[in-house]
């Protein structure tokens, strides 16, 4: 399988601030890769380097086997990019901007463009100055998905979208995946990429701290549960994979290692479930696990 | 450079043309019309050679040379007169045009994040910078062509084909110098504001260098491209060689800019931008502190600039004095202010010019509020319990202080350079008074700006045009013998020229009253209207 993206030992300094400290990322063709990390972790910096917008201090970055800085033009013919904060020309309409982008790209599908405008419910005849943040993002998304790029680089593209539009976005990513395209999707929210991504890389303070399929990262994730049962659940903390049990109103709140979830659930269900609430693991939980484990190994 | 570095440049060029399809023609039409009107007016006002010779005689002094540059005073034809009085001044305006147009399409687009989108497409690394440079070349060629053809078409005897086109080409070539200079600063600095400010600072430095140089230090003058400009001697010898130097300089500046552009990170510069504080000091938590912090660099730059302008003109005063002493002919030409030395008359004219320049920074300071508003920053402030009245009030207060500081600095500069080169007779407080009488006019301009912020947000251009009109009418009014009422359309036209005129308090009080009225109205409007964003 051809490698779409290959970053090796990439570092970036801004003055005397080390933003990236030896980043390694590999992406294969047709893969949807989730790039997750808290704000300021270095996601946008890494992405701008993939695009050859800024130069790596050291290390190599190849996109489609080409050098990201010196061969950026050839790379961009096959890449579509949507930044998290899109700013446009206030005096042009959204439609004019999309036209400009597709002309600069050199190929576009008018039909797909119209279809996307409908799906995102974007009025292309309005001047960009009147667009909200979400609408400006839609302009960039429509331009990106209307292109026939092979690699979509999306940097927190949904930060201004409402939930309905987020769904439209997700279906666009799924369509791209179906068509065999590669997607890099950055986010600071774990659950957002869970649904879409084959594999995730977790970045923190300029370093990838974990990478793998979500399946492989299960050991890091715990689901938060709140249960109320008919018969009391006395022996819960004795089960393996259950942590931090405490009473919450009439019920119990605790965390379960994701790989033990099935066993724990069948245990609970024997006690007659009255109420069950679950919350997905957050990025913070995941970091905590990561450092707990890293600490435990010493 | 590889071919791919310029990929899609033609499309970006067309995109610039489209965006500027109104802006650029307005600049060009304004510049060309102005240039064409000058010789027509001169031919009308000074039809006889004897009259022009008399005019030449009044021009034969260091003060005028410092202002407008050297000229062929021995053969003061309409053409020579036009080139002498207008070429340099027009070139400065052409420089501004080039700086504004270039920064708009370079650092502004980059700072706003638009360039990021363009550059993520299959577009060559040098395509955008190449497009704007070609566009500016096109604009300056059109300017040169229209000016040259237009001047020649006037069919004025002393204005031949060669001189006319040299005049136009000289303007275009200087234009390219400032276009490439601005492109270079757009690479060096991280903000459009800094790039514009530094480009203008260099433009003014070039002007002042040749002012001092033309009067007393030839070598200083030769470093300034604006001196090369006047060296073309349009309609008085016609030397094309300086054009070559100007174009070579533009080529070098453009090449350096392109090189720096190719090696640097997007949105980065080469001048270090200071890292900001992690936490706001309590000083920044009140709006005056915040506004002052935002404007700090601008204040410092302008303060230095005003001082330099004052010093430069002050340094000319000595030459002026020695020149006037014993020139009986001149004394006869300018009899109307008998009892006052020509130096004093020149100083009073300087006061007017300097007060017009000193009005620029306070106007920028108050109009900045609208700039922040457009960038959504005001909306953020408004989330905290700060009333709009308080916010606008802080900006107005700062602007009023700014005007006083700038005006004072220019006088301090003028006086301190003046006393070292003249044989005495420059009394500080009387000079300071002669300048401060213009302060109410500056405050009236601030009042107009506040009014616009309240009622016509985005109408900033009105203040700038009005200020430019004031300069135009008062500075050139005498030369073109404008009717007096034209000068009375600007607040600066009501100010007595001390010490020749009698001090008059009425216009001062009236101007302050008008300013107060405009401000109160502006406050009302600002409180009621919606905030704008993006
Ligand atoms: N041009 C720059 N100059 C200095 N520091 C920068 C610059 N760009 C980013 N940084 C810093 O690098 C770090 C990573 O930023 P970024 O890549 O934008 O993070 P993310 O996209 O993950 O939120 C942050 O601490 C940010 O402040
Ligand atoms: Mg980011």
């Amino acid at each position: 399988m051809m490698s779409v993206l290959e970053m090796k030992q990439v570092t970036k300094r801004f003055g005397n601030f080390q933003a990236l400290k030896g980043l390694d990322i590999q992406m294969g063709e047709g893969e949807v890769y989730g790039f997750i990390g808290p704000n300021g972790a270095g996601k946008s910096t890494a992405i701008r380097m993939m695009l050859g917008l800024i130069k790596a201090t050291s290390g190599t970055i190849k996109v489609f086997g080409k050098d990201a800085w010196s061969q950026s033009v050839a790379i961009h013919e096959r890449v579509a990019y949507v930044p998290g904060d899109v700013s446009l020309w206030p005096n042009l309409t959204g439609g004019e901007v999309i036209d400009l982008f597709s002309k600069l790209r050199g190929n576009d599908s008018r039909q797909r463009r119209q279809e996307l405008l409908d799906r995102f419910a974007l009025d292309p005849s309005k001047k960009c100055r009147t667009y909200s943040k979400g609408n400006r993002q839609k302009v960039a998304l429509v331009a990106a998905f209307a292109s026939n790029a092979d690699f979509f680089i999306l940097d927190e593209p949904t930060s201004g979208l409402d939930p309905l539009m987020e769904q439209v976005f997700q279906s666009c990513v799924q369509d791209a995946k179906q068509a065999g395209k590669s997607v890099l999707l950055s986010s600071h929210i774990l659950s957002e990429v869970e649904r879409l991504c084959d594999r995730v890389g977790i970045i923190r303070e300029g370093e990838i701290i974990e990478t793998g399929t979500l399946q492989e990262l299960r050991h890091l994730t715990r689901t938060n549960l709140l249960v109320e049962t008919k018969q009391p659940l006395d022996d819960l903390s004795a089960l393996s994979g259950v942590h931090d049990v405490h009473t919450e109103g009439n019920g119990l709140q605790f965390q379960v290692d994701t790989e033990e979830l099935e066993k724990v659930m069948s245990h609970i269900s024997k006690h007659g479930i009255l109420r069950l609430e679950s919350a997905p693991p957050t990025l913070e939980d995941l970091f905590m696990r990561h450092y707990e484990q890293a600490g435990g190994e010493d | 450079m590889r071919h791919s570095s310029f990929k899609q440049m033609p499309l970006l060029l067309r995109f610039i043309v489209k965006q500027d399809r109104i802006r650029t023609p307005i600049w060009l039409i304004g510049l060309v019309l102005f240039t064409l009107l000058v010789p027509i007016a001169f031919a009308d006002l000074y039809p006889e050679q004897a009259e022009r010779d008399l005019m030449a005689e009044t021009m034969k002094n260091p003060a005028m040379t410092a202002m407008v540059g050297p000229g062929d005073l021995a053969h003061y034809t309409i053409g020579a007169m036009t080139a002498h009085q207008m070429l340099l001044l027009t070139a400065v305006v052409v420089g501004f045009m080039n700086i504004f147009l270039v920064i708009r399409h370079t650092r502004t687009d980059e700072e706003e994040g638009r360039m990021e989108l363009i550059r993520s497409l299959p577009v060559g690394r040098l395509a955008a910078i190449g497009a704007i440079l070609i566009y500016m070349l096109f604009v300056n060629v059109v300017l040169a062509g229209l000016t040259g053809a237009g001047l020649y078409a006037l069919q004025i005897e002393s204005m031949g084909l060669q001189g006319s086109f040299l005049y136009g080409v000289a303007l275009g070539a200087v234009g390219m110098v400032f276009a490439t200079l601005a492109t270079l600063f757009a690479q060096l600095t991280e903000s459009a504001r800094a790039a514009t400010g530094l480009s203008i600072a260099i433009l003014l430095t070039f002007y002042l260098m040749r002012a001092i140089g033309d009067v007393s230090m030839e070598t200083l003058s030769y470093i300034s491209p604006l001196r090369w400009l006047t060296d073309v001697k349009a309609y008085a010898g016609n030397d094309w060689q300086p054009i070559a130097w100007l174009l070579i300089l533009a080529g070098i500046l453009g090449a350096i800019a392109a090189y720096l552009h190719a090696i640097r990170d997007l949105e980065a510069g080469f001048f270090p931008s200071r890292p900001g504080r992690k936490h706001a000091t309590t000083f920044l938590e009140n709006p005056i502190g915040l506004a002052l912090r935002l404007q700090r660099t601008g204040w410092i730059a302008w303060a230095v600039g005003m001082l330099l302008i004052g010093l430069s003109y002050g340094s000319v005063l000595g030459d002026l004095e020695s020149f006037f002493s014993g020139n009986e002919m001149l004394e006869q030409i300018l009899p109307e202010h008998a009892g006052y030395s020509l130096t004093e008359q020149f100083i009073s004219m300087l006061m007017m010019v300097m007060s017009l320049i000193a009005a620029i920074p306070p106007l920028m300071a108050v109009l900045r509020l609208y700039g922040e508003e457009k960038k959504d920053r005001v909306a953020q402030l408004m989330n905290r319990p700060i009333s709009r009245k308080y916010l606008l009030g802080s900006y107005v207060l700062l602007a009023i202080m700014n005007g006083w500081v700038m005006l004072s600095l220019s006088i301090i500069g003028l006086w301190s350079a003046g006393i070292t080169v003249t044989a005495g007779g420059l009394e500080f407080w009387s000079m300071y008074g002669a300048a401060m009488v213009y302060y109410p006019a500056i405050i009236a301009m601030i009042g107009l700006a506040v009014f616009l912020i309240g009622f016509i947000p985005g109408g900033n251009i009105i203040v700038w045009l009005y200020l430019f009109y004031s300069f135009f009418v008062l500075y050139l009014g005498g030369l073109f013998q404008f009717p007096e009422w034209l000068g009375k359309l600007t607040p600066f036209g009501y100010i007595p020229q001390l010490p020749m005129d009698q001090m008059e308090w009425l216009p001062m009080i009236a101007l302050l009253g008008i300013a107060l009225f405009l401000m109160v109205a502006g406050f009302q409007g600002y409180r009621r209207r919606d905030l704008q964003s993006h």
Side-chain angles (χ1 to χ4, degrees), chain B residues 150-421:
Chain B
L151 286 172
Y152 180 60
L154 294 177
Q155 291 295 320
I156 290 172
E157 197 194 339
S158 57
M159 303 177 76
L161 185 66
Q162 196 189 156
S164 298
F165 274 94
L166 182 56
Y167 191 104
V169 170
L171 285 180
V174 163
M176 276 319 285
V177 169
F178 288 107
T180 50
L181 184 85
T183 313
L184 179 58
F185 277 117
Q187 311 311 311
L188 296 175
T189 68
E190 279 186 6
S191 79
R193 183 177 288 275
T196 310
L198 281 171
S199 304
I200 292 177
I202 297 285
L203 170 68
L204 295 181
T205 308
F206 283 158
Y207 179 86
L208 293 175
M209 264 164 55
R210 58 133 290 286
I212 299 173
D214 287 351
V215 172
S216 51
M217 269 189 282
E218 281 283 270
T219 39
L220 185 62
S221 199
Y222 284 125
I223 310 173
S224 167
L226 288 176
R227 167 61 190 247
W228 310 352
L229 167 85
T230 51
D231 275 350
V232 300
K233 301 191 170 66
Y235 303 118
N238 294 337
D239 184 359
W240 286 83
Q241 198 175 335
I243 301 290
W245 295 123
L246 289 169
L247 292 179
I248 289 170
L249 177 63
I252 293 171
L253 291 173
I256 297 174
Y259 172 73
L260 293 179
H261 187 76
I263 62 165
R264 74 175 169 88
D265 284 353
L266 187 77
E267 287 166 30
F270 288 90
F271 292 166
S273 63
R274 277 167 291 115
R277 282 174 195 276
K278 283 231 168 68
H279 302 285
T281 57
T282 44
F283 179 63
L284 290 187
E285 279 165 11
N286 80 48
I288 297 195
L290 182 64
L292 191 59
R293 171 66 189 80
L294 290 173
Q295 300 173 13
R296 185 174 63 187
T297 321
W299 277 59
I300 295 172
W302 273 98
V304 172
M306 293 309 296
L307 199 62
L308 282 180
I309 291 173
L311 285 170
S312 311
Y313 279 125
S315 71
V316 178
L317 291 179
D319 293 279
L320 190 63
E321 193 172 57
S322 55
F323 180 84
F324 283 145
S325 61
N327 191 330
E328 282 167 30
M329 158 129 189
L330 262 186
E331 309 274 346
Q332 282 164 9
I333 300 173
L334 296 166
E336 62 257 52
H337 287 299
Y340 292 98
S341 73
L342 281 167
T343 311
E344 276 169 312
Q345 294 187 30
F346 177 61
I347 288 176
S348 80
M349 206 243 294
L350 272 187
M351 298 296 176
M352 201 251 311
V353 173
M354 290 199 308
S355 71
L356 283 161
I357 299 175
I360 298 174
L363 286 175
M364 284 169 66
V366 69
L367 292 174
R368 176 106 190 218
L369 179 61
Y370 178 68
E372 301 289 328
E373 176 178 339
K374 266 202 315 193
K375 289 187 177 166
D376 274 350
R377 298 207 193 112
V378 173
Q380 282 165 30
L381 265 183
M382 292 299 186
N383 291 337
R384 302 199 292 129
I386 292 171
S387 77
R388 290 186 179 199
K389 214 165 55 181
Y390 192 24
L391 189 69
L392 180 58
S394 327
Y395 274 79
V396 173
L397 195 67
L398 279 178
I400 291 175
M401 276 161 46
N402 183 305
W404 173 72
V405 170
M406 298 302 163
L407 194 55
S408 301
L409 282 174
S410 63
I411 298 312
I412 291 170
L414 182 68
W415 175 80
S416 46
I419 50 160
T420 60
V421 296

Side-chain angles (χ1 to χ4, degrees), chain A residues 12 48 52-55 69-70 73 76-77 81 83 87-90 92 96 100 103-105 129, chain B residues 2 4 7-8 15 18-19 112-114 116-117 119-122 124-125 262 264-267 534:
Chain A
K12 180 69 187 177
R48 287 155 147 247
L53 300 177
I54 62 178
K55 200 172 185 171
W69 176 262
S70 62
V73 177
H76 292 174
E77 309 215 337
Y81 167 59
S87 82
L88 303 169
W89 293 262
L92 299 187
E96 284 174 313
L100 172 74
K103 268 192 221 143
L104 285 171
R105 183 176 288 288
R129 73 165 87 255
Chain B
R2 282 183 313 276
S4 71
K7 192 174 158 118
Q8 294 292 26
F15 183 51
K18 178 180 168 189
Q19 286 179 83
E112 298 278 329
R114 295 188 278 260
E116 181 180 10
L117 286 167
R119 280 277 300 281
S120 75
L121 293 162
R125 186 162 278 136
R264 74 175 169 88
D265 284 353
L266 187 77
E267 287 166 30
H534 209 75

Side-chain angles (χ1 to χ4, degrees), chain B residues 121-134:
Chain B
L121 293 162
V123 168
R125 186 162 278 136
L126 293 176
I129 196 173
I132 185 64
L133 286 176
I134 292 178

Side-chain angles (χ1 to χ4, degrees), chain A residues 7 21 79 81-82 124 129 147 207 210 228 254 272 274 278:
Chain A
M7 290 179 94
K21 307 162 183 162
V79 168
Y81 167 59
V82 177
R129 73 165 87 255
S147 76
E207 279 172 298
E210 287 283 346
E228 241 183 273
F254 53 93
L274 291 173
S278 78

Side-chain angles (χ1 to χ4, degrees), chain B residues 399-472:
Chain B
I400 291 175
M401 276 161 46
N402 183 305
W404 173 72
V405 170
M406 298 302 163
L407 194 55
S408 301
L409 282 174
S410 63
I411 298 312
I412 291 170
L414 182 68
W415 175 80
S416 46
I419 50 160
T420 60
V421 296
T422 59
L426 292 181
E427 212 265 306
F428 179 76
W429 288 112
S430 79
M431 273 177 81
Y432 192 67
M436 276 302 142
V437 286
Y438 285 96
Y439 190 39
I442 293 177
I443 293 179
M445 294 300 285
I446 297 174
L448 176 64
V450 175
F451 185 82
L452 289 175
I453 288 177
F455 289 98
I456 316 176
N460 294 2
I461 187 74
I462 298 174
V463 198
W464 297 121
L465 287 177
Y466 191 41
L467 189 68
F468 183 73
Y469 169 83
S470 309
F471 174 80
F472 183 74

